[in-house]
Structures are given as C-alpha cells and as structure tokens.
C-alpha cells in the first residue's frame, strides 16, 4: 500500500472490525513502501544482517528457484551474490562465521534430498548433512556458552505423505566445527512449519518453540532435552490442526502469537493462559513476527498472508483487544517478514519477501 493510500485507509476508518479486534483509535505508525526487487522466481525468506560490516543491516533473499543466494546492500539496495550453484533453497541462517542453508527441498519426501550446506566467509561450501524436507534453519545458544548451534527442523517425517503427512518429525542440531548431527527429539507430528528461538525461562539459554500439527511445544536443553507442551493450538480435524508458525511478544506481559492451523486462516494470541482468535479472515497465513513499531513498550504482531489476500497485516494491542491495520493490500504474498531498523532512526522497519508476487520490499517506519 502506498503512503497516500495508507493515509486514506486510516482517515476513512477502514479498519476491519472482527471478533476480538477493536476499531477504536490506537497508535498505528505510518509506513512508506519501497520495492527492492521484483524479479524473483519464488521468494521464500528474507534475513537481515550487516554483510559488509558498514554498520547497516543488509537483506539476504532466499529464492527457492534461483541458483544464487543473493544479498542487497543497504542503502542503495544494489544486488550481490553471496553464493552460487545452489538448488531449491528454502531457508538459511547466519551462525557464527557460517551461512547455513537448507536446499534441495521439496515437501514430498521422495523428491527432497534436504541438503544442509555451510558456507564460510570465503564462500567455500561444505555439505554437512542430508535430511529429506529440511525446512527451517535457526541459530541458538542452547547451553549459555555464547557458542551457537544450528537448529534444523524438517517439514515432515520420512514416511509422511500428502494430505495427512502422518509421521513423527525429527528435530536436530549441529555444532559448528565437527557438524555432527545431534537429535533433539522425534516427537512432533505431521507438519512442523515454524520454529522460534527464545529464552523461555530466562536462564541465559535459548529454548526452541516449534509449531506443528501437534501444537506449540517448548524444547529446553539441560544436560539433555525436555519437550513441554504449551498448547495443542487449533483443535480441528487432522490435518487442519495445530499451529503453522509462532512468535513471542510483550504487551501487558508476555504473549505467544500463532498462525493456526498450518497455512491457516486464524491469527491467535495466547496471554495469561487464554487463547484468543484475533482474526479469522486471512486466506493462507504463512509468517508471523512481533516488534514494537511505535516505541510504546508493547509489541505489535506482523502477519504475512501468502494466499489470495497477498497482504501484510499489523495488529496493535488495545488491552484485551487488537486493532488490525493493512500494511500491504494485494501486492505482497509474504512468505517471510522481518522487523528491523534499516535506516538507523530507532524505528523498526519491516521487510517482506513474496512468493507468487516475486518481490522484496521494505516498509519504512515514519513514526506516528
């Protein structure tokens, strides 16, 4: 949505009033839209990192049907190649001195090699593992040592088949250096679509939240791994069950935000033991994030609707209710969004990458 249309949207009071969503005045900020690229084959993930060490956050774009892993240099957004010779990339993370990429991906086990490739700062590639449907890559300091490990969450188990995907799903990690596969557990079931790294119990160690058909679970390392159910999430009929992505924010206390079920239509907030559906009108929720966009001490929720809506939605806390604001209406099939300060003005901007819209945008936060 352009800046002009955004002001019209607010002045026309076109905020959607849904069950549990307030239409009273909140503190929504104004954004200005910038297109960085619009020629991807199938944009899937955007990652923010200072690649050239100039003090500005650049953007890495994972295009699932591209041979190159690309990055865009802030502030000119010139395109550069980080690695060549890649195939069907799906996810990546920067862990220590390595870019770790999951590639050779398919959601059908028989067509998915699931390579995990570590790329050092000199561009040298090392194949460290193969697990079919390897899908989510994150970094985590699981023991409080300051040394991050690489978390790999495949999408499904080895025997899973559409549409039910019934099977146990492995969750594993690697320590950079020897890169030996270590199993966390094989207890999640169906599709594991989201993972989130967070120090849940505030003990200086990162925990792992997973969103799957089994629900939302917390995986904690303490001389071994414990798995704790946070919520069964959406209580539907298999496979329309559980959670598809998860994030944590703060608004009058910690909350957990979830898209339910997998590729689902619900935005859900868990707060003080209550489950609240704050929106049930999205068409294919694919990504969820949280950030304090207006610097008021409360985190907003950012949702990418990758389906027919092709939109990016913001939710502002209004006590027990949430106000919905449309950031992008119809031009961003957001597979991933991140909230970071891209122009060093102490305001969180938003960057999203689109799958079918084949684009990368950043939405400049202009404040209140």
């Amino acid at each position: 949505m352009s800046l002009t249309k955004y002001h019209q949207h607010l002045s026309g009071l076109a905020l959607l009033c849904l069950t549990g969503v307030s239409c009273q005045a909140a503190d929504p900020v104004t954004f200005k839209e910038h297109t960085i690229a619009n020629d991807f084959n199938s944009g899937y993930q955007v990652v923010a990192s200072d690649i050239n060490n100039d003090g500005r956050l650049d953007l890495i774009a994972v295009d699932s049907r591209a041979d190159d892993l690309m990055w865009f240099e802030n502030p000119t957004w010139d395109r550069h190649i980080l690695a060549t010779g890649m195939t069907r990339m799906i996810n990546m993370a920067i862990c220590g001195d390595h870019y770790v990429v999951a590639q050779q991906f398919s959601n059908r086990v028989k067509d998915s090699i699931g390579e995990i490739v570590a790329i050092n700062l000199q561009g040298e590639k090392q194949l460290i593992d193969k697990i079919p449907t390897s899908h989510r890559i994150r970094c985590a300091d699981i023991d409080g040592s300051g040394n991050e490990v690489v978390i790999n969450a495949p999408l499904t188990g080895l025997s899973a088949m559409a549409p039910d995907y019934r099977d146990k799903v492995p969750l594993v990690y690697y320590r950079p250096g020897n890169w030996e596969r270590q199993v966390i557990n094989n207890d999640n079931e169906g599709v594991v679509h989201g993972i989130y790294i967070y120090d849940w119990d505030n003990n200086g160690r990162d925990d792992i939240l997973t969103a799957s058909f089994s629900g939302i679970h917390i995986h904690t390392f303490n001389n071994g791994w414990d798995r704790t159910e946070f919520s069964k999430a959406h209580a539907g009929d298999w496979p329309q069950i559980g959670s598809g992505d998860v994030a944590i924010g703060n608004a009058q206390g910690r909350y957990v935000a979830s898209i339910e079920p997998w590729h689902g239509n619900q935005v859900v907030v868990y707060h003080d033991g209550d489950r609240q559906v704050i929106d049930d009108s999205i068409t294919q929720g694919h990504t969820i994030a949280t950030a304090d966009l207006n610097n008021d001490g409360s985190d907003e929720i950012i949702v990418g609707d990758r389906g027919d809506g092709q939109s990016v939605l913001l939710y502002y806390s209004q006590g027990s209710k949430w106000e919905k604001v449309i950031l992008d209406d119809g031009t961003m099939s957001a597979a991933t969004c991140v909230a970071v300060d891209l122009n060093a003005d102490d305001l969180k901007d938003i960057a999203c990458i689109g799958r079918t819209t084949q684009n990368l945008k950043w939405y400049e936060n202009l404040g209140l």
Side-chain angles (χ1 to χ4, degrees):
M1 179 180 291
S2 68
L3 182 60
T4 300
K5 288 183 179 180
Y6 185 86
H7 281 303
Q8 292 172 347
H9 175 75
L10 290 180
S11 63
L13 296 180
L15 303 179
L16 300 185
C17 295
L18 304 170
T19 302
V21 179
S22 170
C23 282
Q24 299 179 8
D27 296 312
V29 299
T30 302
F31 286 88
K32 182 178 180 181
E33 177 184 302
H34 305 270
T35 297
I36 297 174
N38 57 10
D39 59 349
F40 296 142
N41 298 299
S42 182
Y44 195 84
Q45 184 194 21
V46 58
V47 175
S49 181
D50 184 3
I51 303 298
N52 55 0
N53 296 314
D54 66 351
R56 299 185 181 97
L57 287 173
D58 309 297
L59 295 175
I60 303 173
V62 175
D63 182 345
S64 294
R65 296 177 185 170
D67 298 329
D68 299 327
L69 180 60
M70 296 166 285
W71 69 280
F72 294 83
E73 182 178 357
N74 189 352
T76 61
W77 304 114
D78 291 336
R79 185 185 315 224
H80 305 278
I81 295 176
L82 196 63
T84 61
M86 311 303 289
T87 305
R88 300 205 315 271
M89 295 177 290
I90 194 68
N91 229 232
M92 64 88 61
I94 305 171
C95 302
D97 294 332
H98 290 85
Y99 306 101
V100 183
V101 181
Q103 66 167 5
Q104 296 278 12
F105 172 81
S106 171
N107 58 10
R108 295 172 296 194
V109 173
K110 66 182 183 65
D111 298 325
S112 181
I113 298 173
E115 292 183 347
I116 307 299
V117 178
I119 306 169
N120 64 21
L121 299 182
Q122 290 72 46
E124 299 168 332
K125 291 185 285 188
Q126 179 183 357
L127 176 62
I128 62 175
D129 202 3
K130 294 180 181 180
I131 302 179
T133 74
S134 289
H135 185 252
R136 289 287 182 262
I137 304 295
R138 299 290 185 270
C139 315
D141 180 5
I142 61 174
D143 55 12
S145 66
N147 299 314
E148 292 181 320
V149 302
V150 179
I151 310 297
N152 175 16
L155 185 72
T156 70
L158 294 178
S159 300
M161 295 182 63
D164 285 347
Y165 297 102
R166 287 191 182 272
D167 197 11
K168 300 279 190 176
V169 187
L171 182 65
V172 306
Y173 72 98
Y174 316 92
R175 291 192 181 276
N178 63 23
W179 299 112
E180 181 181 351
R181 183 199 300 177
Q182 303 287 329
V183 176
I184 297 173
N185 58 55
N186 294 280
D187 296 324
N188 289 330
E189 294 185 83
V191 168
V192 178
H193 191 260
I195 62 174
Y196 190 85
I197 307 302
Y198 180 81
D199 184 359
W200 179 264
D201 46 13
N202 197 31
N203 65 353
R205 301 180 177 189
D206 286 335
D207 306 301
I208 307 165
L209 276 75
T210 56
S212 72
F213 285 8
S214 300
I216 301 169
H217 289 81
I218 306 162
H219 308 261
T220 302
F221 182 77
N222 186 15
N223 297 321
W225 287 94
D226 295 319
R227 175 179 178 267
T228 303
E229 180 182 278
F230 173 78
S231 173
K232 294 186 184 302
H234 180 66
D237 295 325
W238 192 290
Q240 298 299 310
I241 192 171
S243 172
D245 201 10
V246 63
I248 294 176
N250 181 77
Q252 297 180 318
R254 182 172 69 183
Y255 66 83
V256 174
S258 173
I259 291 174
E260 301 179 8
W262 172 44
H263 289 177
N265 68 313
Q266 296 180 345
V267 182
V268 180
V269 172
Y270 297 87
H271 189 262
D272 289 336
D274 294 327
R275 178 182 183 270
Q276 181 184 14
V277 179
I278 66 170
D279 193 356
D280 62 1
S281 66
I282 58 177
T283 56
Q284 191 186 109
H286 195 269
T287 183
I288 193 165
T290 59
D292 185 356
L293 299 174
N294 52 12
N295 289 341
D296 67 351
S298 293
D299 289 327
E300 283 67 56
I301 299 172
I302 304 158
V303 169
D305 185 349
R306 202 184 66 171
D308 294 338
Q310 296 189 157
S311 57
V312 181
L313 310 169
L314 309 179
Y315 302 83
Y316 290 81
S317 174
Q318 296 292 309
S320 62
K321 297 180 180 296
W322 292 80
E323 177 186 0
K324 175 180 176 179
V325 173
I326 301 174
L327 176 61
D328 194 309
D329 188 6
T331 66
M332 171 54 67
S333 59
T336 306
C337 293
V338 295
V340 291
D341 185 1
L342 290 173
N343 54 359
D345 63 353
D346 295 322
L347 293 171
K348 291 288 182 68
D349 309 296
I350 299 172
C352 298
I353 192 167
R355 185 182 182 188
T356 56
T357 51
Q358 302 173 321
N359 51 354
L360 175 64
K361 295 183 184 181
W362 77 285
Y363 305 87
E364 181 182 1
N365 187 339
L366 302 181
L368 297 171

